[in-house]
Amino acid sequence: MVTGIGARWLAAAMIVACVALVGPSAPDGAHIAKPLPADAPKDFVPNRVMTWNICNPCNESGHNVGRAAEIATYAPQVVGLQEACVRDVEGIRDHLQYLYGLDYHVEYGSVLHSWGRCGGVPWSPGGFGQAVLSAAPMTDRVNVEYPDGGSEDRGYMAVTTQVDGRPVRVFNTHLAQRSQEAVRAKQTRVLEAEVARHDRTIVLGDFNAVPDAPELSGMWSLAADADPECAPAATGTCETTTDWHSKFDYIFLRGFVPLEQGVHPTPYSDHDPVHADLRPT
């Protein structure tokens, strides 16, 4: 039996051994890469973007490893994340870099600081909201809270980065919950006024509304979704993006033409990651 000082030395030795095996900066506690498909890209895919609401389940142990693998499977140049805790995004970004060799820049658009949701300590709670990962550096970040968030603070962030080798303004938003149509209508008017100022724009986000919802009419007048089958008057099959079989997640485009879009079912959120390959007009 080991007691007193001997027990403390044994515990310290075990911690050192664990750090040597795992690594001092290992997010989520372990550098265990989830295998990717054989045809997964080895580097960022030019002109590919993604949107993903990553919460629900939130704060699940080990989920950030899987989320990083989902992103690495498609290796987009730009990723917009919603319902994102800063700590989770930091973990996802570290996994992408150290496990898959994808070194993203990151900007945050937190609208809420929540100890209960994002951890941290009561006097320094974690940030919650949006985040953008980009292969290219980002500039001119703005973070805007909507005047009326509905049942929870909501907002949008915007950055300037590069897609197809030229500057583009990227917006990332999360609108009010499903039952709050009137609130979303006010929020989209705020967003639309800014989107309309740019000819080359990608708008990513969880809009919590189906394509023919009245509150999205202004967005449709400005941009088209990357899925050509998804529009208010579309006659084809609009691919759903949530576990409840609704299309809520959009990649709205101005100055780009979509070449391909994919929705990818995932166990790591009740929303599916959506990617699109683009070309400039």
Side-chain angles (χ1 to χ4, degrees), residues 78 106-108 131-134 137-142 156-162 168-172 198 202:
V78 176
V106 63
E107 292 286 354
Y108 295 99
V132 172
L133 304 177
S134 175
M138 292 174 278
T139 60
D140 303 320
R141 181 190 70 89
V142 298
Y156 75 83
M157 64 179 296
V159 298
T160 297
T161 187
Q162 289 200 345
V168 59
R169 195 66 170 161
V170 175
F171 291 82
N172 183 18
H198 303 274
I202 300 170

Side-chain angles (χ1 to χ4, degrees), residues 206-221:
D206 172 6
F207 284 73
N208 269 320
V210 295
D212 61 354
E215 62 268 29
L216 294 190
S217 60
M219 282 302 303
W220 289 116
S221 69

Side-chain angles (χ1 to χ4, degrees), residues 21 29 68 90 94 180 187 209 262 275:
L21 288 171
E90 289 172 343
D94 283 350
Q180 300 172 339
Q187 293 171 346
H275 92 270

Side-chain angles (χ1 to χ4, degrees), residues 25 58 60 74 95 97 130 170 194 229 243 259 265 267:
S25 62
C58 306
E60 287 289 318
Y74 304 98
H95 284 309
Q97 179 180 359
Q130 287 71 247
V170 175
E194 291 303 310
E229 302 296 337
D243 285 356
L259 300 177

Side-chain angles (χ1 to χ4, degrees), residues 168 195-203 221-224 252-256 281:
V168 59
V195 171
R197 297 176 57 237
H198 303 274
D199 294 329
R200 285 171 48 83
T201 308
I202 300 170
V203 185
S221 69
L222 292 172
F252 282 113
L253 305 171
R254 283 168 61 85
F256 294 90
T281 56

Side-chain angles (χ1 to χ4, degrees), residues 44-50 74-79 104-105 132-136 161-165 276:
F44 298 112
V45 177
N47 305 341
R48 177 172 289 177
V49 299
M50 176 181 283
Y74 304 98
Q77 275 193 294
V78 176
V79 185
Y104 282 98
H105 302 267
V132 172
L133 304 177
S134 175
T161 187
Q162 289 200 345
V163 174
D164 76 90

Side-chain angles (χ1 to χ4, degrees), residues 117-262:
R117 175 167 282 184
C118 290
V121 291
W123 56 90
S124 182
F128 177 80
Q130 287 71 247
V132 172
L133 304 177
S134 175
M138 292 174 278
T139 60
D140 303 320
R141 181 190 70 89
V142 298
N143 186 34
V144 176
E145 287 194 41
Y146 293 123
D148 184 356
S151 57
E152 182 179 77
D153 293 349
R154 296 289 164 91
Y156 75 83
M157 64 179 296
V159 298
T160 297
T161 187
Q162 289 200 345
V163 174
D164 76 90
R166 294 189 293 164
V168 59
R169 195 66 170 161
V170 175
F171 291 82
N172 183 18
T173 192
H174 185 199
L175 300 189
Q177 293 179 355
R178 281 178 280 177
S179 61
Q180 300 172 339
E181 295 88 349
V183 176
R184 287 198 302 276
K186 291 185 287 187
Q187 293 171 346
T188 53
R189 286 195 289 270
V190 173
L191 178 63
E192 290 155 13
E194 291 303 310
V195 171
R197 297 176 57 237
H198 303 274
D199 294 329
R200 285 171 48 83
T201 308
I202 300 170
V203 185
L204 310 169
D206 172 6
F207 284 73
N208 269 320
V210 295
D212 61 354
E215 62 268 29
L216 294 190
S217 60
M219 282 302 303
W220 289 116
S221 69
L222 292 172
D225 186 58
D227 185 348
E229 302 296 337
C230 288
T235 58
T237 302
C238 180
E239 197 167 5
T240 62
T241 65
T242 66
D243 285 356
W244 50 93
H245 307 298
S246 295
K247 161 78 172 181
F248 277 4
D249 304 274
Y250 295 82
I251 299 176
F252 282 113
L253 305 171
R254 283 168 61 85
F256 294 90
V257 173
L259 300 177
E260 179 188 9
Q261 189 210 246

Side-chain angles (χ1 to χ4, degrees), residues 266-277:
T266 178
Y268 303 110
S269 174
D270 57 358
H271 289 250
D272 299 323
V274 182
H275 92 270
D277 293 336

